[in-house]
Amino acid sequence: MVDETAYPDFVLEGFKKIAKNPDELEDLLYQWDERCGIRHYDGGQAMKDAEIDALQDVLNRQKKKQ
């Protein structure tokens, strides 16, 4: 189950639009969280920038799957 308070609104709402079910939403959020953490903690990117770039990464991967 997703704790919606743990994610920025723009991320959560963006993924809710494309997720087909709660499991897919959870997977998308997991992917985003992982990429965001890598960019911010390992890469030293500012958190806001890491959040936006991670969102774009996951959305681009979803487009390629289609």
Side-chain angles (χ1 to χ4, degrees), residues 1-50:
M1 186 155 138
V2 174
D3 175 8
E4 294 189 6
T5 64
Y7 299 95
D9 289 338
F10 72 96
V11 171
L12 188 61
E13 294 308 315
F15 288 149
K16 279 184 174 180
K17 290 178 183 177
I18 64 170
K20 295 178 182 88
N21 56 55
D23 289 336
E24 187 173 3
L25 176 61
E26 189 172 354
D27 181 57
L28 291 169
L29 290 168
Y30 176 82
Q31 290 178 49
W32 174 84
D33 197 37
E34 181 179 54
R35 283 165 180 71
C36 185
I38 290 169
R39 288 175 173 280
H40 178 68
Y41 296 109
D42 294 342
Q45 192 173 21
M47 181 58 86
K48 191 64 174 176
D49 293 335

Side-chain angles (χ1 to χ4, degrees), residues 37-66:
I38 290 169
R39 288 175 173 280
H40 178 68
Y41 296 109
D42 294 342
Q45 192 173 21
M47 181 58 86
K48 191 64 174 176
D49 293 335
E51 291 173 344
I52 293 167
D53 290 348
L55 175 63
Q56 194 60 48
D57 284 349
V58 176
L59 292 174
N60 286 340
R61 289 187 75 204
Q62 287 303 110
K63 287 180 185 178
K64 289 180 183 178
K65 286 184 178 180
Q66 296 175 353

